[in-house]
Amino acid sequence: MSEYVNAALAYARAVVAGDLVACKWTKLACQRQLDDLEREPSAEWPWVFDVTRAERPCAFIELLPHIKGKWAREGRNIALEPWQCFIITTVYGWVHRETGLRRFLEVYEEIARKNAKSTKGSGLFLYSLTADGEHGAECYTAATTRDQARIVFDDARAMAERSPGLRTHLGLAIMQHSLTVAHTASKGAPLAAEGSTLDGLNVHFALLDELHAHKTRAVYDVIDTARGAREQSLLWTITTAGTDRSGICYERRTHITKILDKVVIDDRVFGIIYTIDDGDDPFDPAVWPKANPNFGKSVLPDDMAAAARKAEAMPSALNNFLTKRLNVWVSGESPWMDMRAWDRCAEPSLRDLSEYHGAKAWIGLDLAQKKDFAALSIVFQHNFLELGADGVYAPVEKWCLSTRLYLNELAIQESGNAHLSGWARQGYVQVTDGDLTDFDVVADDLRALCRQFDVQEIAFDPALSMYFAGKLIEEGLPLVEITQRAIFFTPALIQVENLVLEGKLCHDGNPVMAWMVSNLVVKVSKFNELMSPTKERPENKIDGPISALMALGRALANEPSNTIEQGFVSL
């Protein structure tokens, strides 16, 4: 096995074992690779790890010279660090066992400034152009401006000028605004951010620099769609954190975190994030290597300490320190749930509620007819036998949550979520005919649950469902209006999160519900610190968690109230 793969595996094992300081996302990325290496090839898993393919780009990059700073003055070549070997060998080592084509088609790398990302990116750009075995390779660097895109390109051009072998052995021609290889009809160039001017590309390799600064998704989308004609085109994004959680960068970041959390399965995308963990003190030097794997190399401790002192003394400098030096996204919103804790609470037996007949229960109802889901959550308490520390089984009372989700067939067909149709086929979403979700199906389920359980309340939002609710009230169902305000949701958000973290809540393991829970972020008011559940973009559905919060919020309130301040009115 090569020195690069050995270094990569040693790094991954040290991170997972806790021997190297790393954040949770880095640990999960390393664990993903170690787990994948243990898998046997099959029809569902057609990938094998090719050590030779893994080491080639590493060996290529280490033949290139440094072109900036003291190492350039000393005439030194690039020497990859173990963390860099881990990323490169993982991306390039996995291939299809029959075709030999690369597994990964997209890479998302989020890391603090000064961690040699331009140096590595320039090396990968030159490798893809000259040594990746692709004829007619089109390789690009892209950013918000042509000047930004030229940073990586100009570094690559300078490396090429100081590497005669690229010209004599690989046929690289160096020009002011492009690099070409005549015998393979390949070219490389920088691209600007005007997405409308990028049509007609046939991308083999594209390096998107500082994606967080892209005000629109135009460049990403154009390059992404320009890869369809290539069998193993690679879109590589390297960025630091930013502030715009509604932009394309945070969208890609969210997708990566869900892959690492195993909420979403996407075997063709590799992602790694270097940042500090929630709860870390940003001014503690012990946590700085989490966001800076090149700490002590290109990231100098004295420079970091000076930036930290400035941020601590000047509030105006704090956000810049957090985003640029520690790779922390700065916003008034934060993720609600620890998804690993949520997954630990799964109890698939709750998909069959027949054994809980007669239990005192509460129901939450969040209705929508077109593009959003209709969601119904029922909660009740039940004693489970669990093995204690003394080795004796004892009953433990837990809150049980079961959620039903409804969506019309047109919304599923038009959804950009590739997993949704599969979830529907598996029965995790109840599909109704046409272009509007059929509320009669929801009403039938409500009636059935009221016959099966001792339902205390059915909490609903009157803004969307008064006519629907009126008919059920006439039938005697115990509907209760919930005004969806922060004053109601604040205690529910806190209490439900605590129940999950303490293992005192169990749910039916619906993967659509897990996806929705991972979408929910909490917006905290600057004036009274009240909390509101929200989502960062329209496609991030949260209807299921809203219905669960309504049900659990009422159940945990202990006794009904009819004050507006409590967020509801009894009917």
Side-chain angles (χ1 to χ4, degrees):
M1 192 169 287
S2 79
E3 60 177 304
Y4 303 112
V5 173
N6 280 335
L9 292 178
Y11 169 79
R13 292 177 182 132
V15 166
V16 170
D19 297 331
L20 285 176
V21 177
C23 75
K24 66 176 182 179
W25 302 120
T26 306
K27 291 177 182 176
L28 289 173
C30 291
Q31 187 65 63
R32 183 192 187 197
Q33 169 70 346
L34 296 177
D35 290 345
D36 286 350
L37 289 170
E38 295 296 320
R39 298 180 68 172
E40 292 293 332
S42 65
E44 294 76 26
W45 179 257
W47 313 109
V48 293
F49 191 77
D50 186 324
V51 173
T52 301
R53 294 280 293 272
E55 72 174 352
R56 288 188 74 240
C58 295
F60 179 93
I61 291 172
E62 288 203 336
L63 293 174
L64 299 172
H66 280 285
I67 50 126
K68 294 178 181 177
K70 66 174 183 177
W71 294 333
R73 291 195 303 271
E74 295 170 2
R76 293 166 59 179
N77 281 0
I78 296 169
L80 294 171
E81 296 296 320
W83 69 273
Q84 295 170 315
C85 291
F86 169 74
I87 294 173
I88 295 171
T89 59
T90 301
V91 172
Y92 285 89
W94 287 103
V95 296
H96 195 282
R97 63 175 174 171
E98 295 178 357
T99 66
L101 296 174
R102 273 197 299 267
R103 165 189 171 185
F104 291 114
L105 303 178
E106 182 174 352
V107 176
Y108 180 90
E109 183 182 347
E110 191 181 285
I111 192 168
R113 291 273 180 89
K114 299 183 181 292
N115 281 277
K117 60 185 177 65
S118 294
T119 300
K120 181 169 92 288
S122 299
L124 292 169
F125 174 79
L126 286 172
Y127 175 79
S128 301
L129 178 64
T130 64
D132 203 20
E134 182 79 4
H135 282 259
E138 294 184 19
C139 303
Y140 300 102
T141 60
T144 54
T145 65
R146 187 172 296 275
D147 287 343
Q148 179 71 33
R150 285 199 69 101
I151 292 176
V152 173
F153 174 81
D154 286 344
D155 284 356
R157 183 173 175 274
M159 290 177 185
E161 287 174 337
R162 302 182 192 185
S163 303
L166 290 178
R167 298 192 293 274
T168 58
H169 297 302
L170 298 179
L172 181 67
I174 303 170
M175 288 163 278
Q176 185 67 27
H177 302 296
S178 65
L179 303 174
T180 62
V181 181
H183 70 277
T184 61
S186 300
K187 67 175 182 180
L191 296 175
E194 294 78 16
S196 60
T197 68
L198 303 181
D199 293 331
L201 302 180
N202 186 5
V203 176
H204 172 61
F205 176 85
L207 185 79
L208 266 65
D209 195 19
E210 299 296 6
L211 187 61
H212 77 275
H214 288 232
K215 296 188 183 341
T216 72
R217 58 184 303 130
V219 174
Y220 176 90
D221 285 346
V222 169
I223 291 178
D224 191 36
T225 55
R227 303 189 298 136
R230 300 278 182 176
E231 292 180 306
Q232 53 179 5
S233 176
L234 185 56
L235 172 55
W236 196 305
T237 296
I238 305 181
T239 188
T240 55
T243 59
D244 182 10
R245 290 180 179 243
S246 64
I248 178 61
C249 187
Y250 200 78
E251 175 186 310
R252 300 312 303 151
R253 183 191 201 272
T254 300
H255 185 62
I256 295 303
T257 59
K258 290 181 179 182
I259 293 172
L260 296 177
D261 259 334
K262 298 183 179 180
V263 175
V264 169
I265 304 300
D266 193 339
D267 292 330
R268 309 305 300 273
V269 176
F270 172 83
I272 191 166
I273 297 171
Y274 291 95
T275 184
I276 61 174
D277 287 303
D278 292 342
D280 282 346
D281 178 2
F283 301 112
D284 180 3
V287 307
W288 294 346
K290 291 184 179 183
N292 298 276
N294 243 27
F295 194 74
K297 302 290 184 179
S298 59
V299 179
L300 304 179
D302 288 346
D303 183 52
M304 277 291 294
R309 287 193 297 270
K310 180 179 179 181
E312 201 165 11
M314 300 173 57
S316 60
L318 177 60
N319 278 0
N320 191 65
F321 177 71
L322 291 173
T323 55
K324 304 302 184 253
R325 298 303 190 101
L326 295 178
N327 197 43
V328 175
W329 284 80
V330 178
S331 172
E333 300 172 358
S334 59
W336 174 50
M337 184 59 67
D338 180 335
M339 291 309 299
R340 284 166 290 177
W342 176 264
D343 290 341
R344 289 194 295 269
C345 293
E347 179 56 61
S349 65
L350 287 172
R351 292 173 191 169
D352 179 8
L353 299 178
S354 58
E355 66 177 277
Y356 307 103
H357 187 87
K360 183 183 292 187
W362 287 259
I363 292 176
L365 193 61
D366 187 54
L367 293 179
Q369 270 196 314
K370 293 186 178 180
K371 295 184 178 181
D372 286 334
F373 289 76
L376 181 161
S377 288
I378 182 167
V379 298
F380 53 91
Q381 288 182 297
H382 182 73
N383 285 327
F384 292 86
L385 283 179
E386 292 193 354
L387 187 64
D390 56 0
V392 177
Y393 281 94
V396 177
E397 189 174 58
K398 295 186 178 184
W399 282 101
C400 301
L401 167 66
S402 179
T403 302
R404 301 182 184 185
L405 300 164
Y406 312 82
L407 193 61
N408 63 79
E409 60 182 354
L410 180 63
I412 290 179
Q413 292 170 7
E414 294 182 345
S415 171
N417 187 329
H419 300 275
L420 189 52
S421 58
W423 285 333
R425 286 193 300 271
Q426 293 171 290
Y428 293 115
V429 178
Q430 188 161 345
V431 183
T432 67
D433 296 337
D435 58 356
L436 294 176
T437 301
D438 188 349
F439 283 178
D440 287 339
V441 175
V442 182
D444 288 343
D445 282 350
L446 276 174
R447 296 183 186 103
L449 289 171
C450 286
R451 289 192 296 269
Q452 180 180 352
F453 289 88
D454 180 13
V455 176
Q456 304 299 296
E457 296 176 356
I458 301 172
F460 76 101
D461 180 3
L464 298 174
S465 50
M466 265 318 294
Y467 175 73
F468 170 83
K471 296 191 297 182
L472 296 177
I473 292 168
E474 291 175 0
E475 297 178 23
L477 273 65
L479 274 81
V480 174
E481 293 184 21
I482 296 293
T483 304
Q484 294 196 2
R485 289 164 41 185
I487 197 168
F488 169 78
F489 280 120
T490 297
L493 286 163
I494 294 170
Q495 290 172 307
V496 174
E497 181 183 17
N498 288 339
L499 287 174
V500 170
L501 295 176
E502 294 167 5
K504 294 181 179 179
L505 181 143
C506 54
H507 57 79
D508 57 12
N510 188 324
V512 192
M513 182 65 166
W515 168 65
M516 290 181 175
V517 169
S518 73
N519 290 336
L520 194 150
V521 296
V522 175
K523 186 173 184 179
V524 181
S525 170
K526 297 179 181 179
F527 303 104
N528 51 22
E529 297 188 351
L530 290 178
M531 303 162 66
S532 300
T534 187
K535 55 189 176 184
E536 291 166 326
R537 53 185 59 85
E539 59 269 26
N540 287 0
K541 307 303 183 185
I542 60 172
D543 311 283
I546 292 297
S547 69
L549 286 167
M550 293 168 73
L552 282 160
R554 290 306 308 134
L556 294 167
N558 293 322
E559 59 182 23
S561 169
N562 62 358
T563 60
I564 296 296
E565 288 74 19
Q566 290 295 325
F568 78 103
V569 178
S570 294
L571 292 179

